Amino acid sequence: MVRTVLLGAGNVATHFGRAMKANGFHVVQVYSRTIGSARALADILECEAINDIGQVLKDADLYLLSVKDDALASVIASVCKGREECLFVHTAGSIPMNVFEGHCKHYGVVYPLQTFSKERSLNFREIPLFVEAINEDALRHLETFAKCLSERVFRLSSPLRAKLHLSAVFGCNFVNHCYALAGEVLKKSGLPFDTLLPLIDETCRKAHELSPVEAQTGPAVRWDEGVMRSHCEQLSDQPLWHEIYKTMSLSIHELDKGRRADNEMV
């Protein structure tokens, strides 16, 4: 049985921990800077909770780091000392694998392409996991680990993973922020957000059948200046939202112009 120490207790760590427990991995410790967060996850995984990195066990088989990106380097520098022969893995999308260089001998990355919230259950077996390791032996161990959790495991280098993470920010985080802005517009008019749900659902369904550029509709594609001017006037008290609207509309129109130009050349 693989003895694992989980460093981090946030959304990603929580879902990894649950998936590992469900698949027979023995998580022996959860570390977090706040003991309350560590205990909340450790209670689920039935293991020890710690908030002192000096208390991390030295004899685990795998150390899985799911901490904030800006804390990763300092956590690595602390936790790898005295454990240089162990396998260390981080789960970040935008941090290159070489963040471990000089701190340990066996290391890699397992990046889950998904949005996680502690409160929502997911079928982890359907989540794509992108793996990378310092050498072939470490990569085989990491692939074996990943394939125990998911049916969709792929090798991917750090530069390509960075591109994938950037695309995920556009395709998930920015889209979700647009939902948030839409909700604020509706709230100011006394309308419920669920008014938009059928529209949101159909937009997502179309992404499975059409390219996003082909599926695009609305005033920006047509460059309907009257409608867009009216929308901008409604956003006059929110200059940042106004700028987002203008920039997004121009980007939509330019991408559609490119699509039409490509079609004319065929």
Side-chain angles (χ1 to χ4, degrees):
M1 183 178 289
V2 177
R3 286 166 50 84
T4 305
V5 171
L6 191 52
L7 293 107
N11 293 330
V12 176
T14 297
H15 281 269
F16 261 105
R18 288 171 175 165
M20 285 190 287
K21 183 181 180 184
N23 286 281
F25 288 87
H26 185 199
V27 180
V28 292
Q29 269 185 335
V30 173
Y31 161 81
S32 175
R33 287 183 298 178
T34 56
I35 193 63
S37 297
R39 282 177 180 153
L41 181 52
D43 286 348
I44 294 170
L45 304 180
E46 299 177 286
C47 67
E48 181 186 15
I50 58 171
N51 66 338
D52 179 356
I53 205 160
Q55 294 178 337
V56 172
L57 294 172
K58 292 185 180 291
D59 60 348
D61 301 301
L62 172 67
Y63 294 82
L64 187 69
L65 287 73
S66 290
V67 298
K68 291 181 179 179
D69 288 4
D70 58 3
L72 188 55
S74 63
V75 171
I76 287 171
S78 297
V79 79
C80 289
K81 289 178 181 177
R83 305 173 183 86
E84 289 81 5
E85 297 294 334
C86 300
L87 178 59
F88 289 86
V89 176
H90 79 66
T91 63
S94 61
I95 305 298
M97 180 178 64
N98 65 12
V99 69
F100 288 108
E101 198 171 295
H103 297 287
C104 57
K105 297 179 181 178
H106 313 291
Y107 53 86
V109 179
V110 55
Y111 168 55
L113 186 64
Q114 187 52 276
T115 175
F116 295 104
S117 296
K118 292 180 184 178
E119 302 79 12
R120 286 189 56 81
S121 296
L122 293 170
N123 183 354
F124 208 94
R125 301 207 64 78
E126 296 178 350
I127 297 173
L129 300 179
F130 295 88
V131 299
E132 180 184 17
I134 184 58
N135 54 47
E136 191 63 29
D137 185 56
L139 185 56
R140 282 197 300 271
H141 280 88
L142 190 50
E143 281 185 318
T144 299
F145 164 71
K147 287 177 180 178
C148 289
L149 306 183
S150 172
E151 296 172 0
R152 306 182 66 191
V153 177
F154 310 93
R155 295 185 178 191
L156 196 68
S157 67
S158 288
L160 288 178
R161 178 164 38 85
K163 295 291 187 185
L164 182 62
H165 187 256
L166 173 60
S167 73
V169 168
F170 274 101
C172 173
N173 306 132
F174 287 178
V175 169
N176 191 67
H177 183 62
C178 286
Y179 295 159
L181 296 185
E184 290 299 311
V185 171
L186 289 171
K187 186 166 67 175
K188 289 186 176 185
S189 303
L191 297 170
F193 181 76
D194 62 14
T195 305
L196 289 177
L197 292 181
L199 175 64
I200 290 171
D201 291 342
E202 175 59 14
T203 303
C204 292
R205 281 192 292 267
K206 284 201 291 187
H208 289 268
E209 300 175 15
L210 300 170
S211 76
V213 177
E214 291 173 325
Q216 189 71 60
T217 61
V221 170
R222 305 185 300 270
W223 205 246
D224 192 330
E225 295 185 74
V227 172
M228 291 191 293
R229 189 180 306 112
S230 172
H231 288 168
C232 287
E233 288 170 358
Q234 294 177 61
L235 296 172
S236 59
D237 62 336
Q238 294 286 347
L240 182 56
W241 298 3
H242 182 230
E243 272 313 300
I244 291 171
Y245 183 97
K246 285 170 55 181
T247 301
M248 191 80 77
S249 295
L250 181 59
S251 182
I252 289 169
H253 188 65
E254 290 299 315
L255 272 181
D256 189 67
K257 279 199 326 188
R259 177 188 66 84
R260 286 185 278 114
D262 289 343
N263 288 343
E264 289 171 3
M265 291 174 63
V266 174

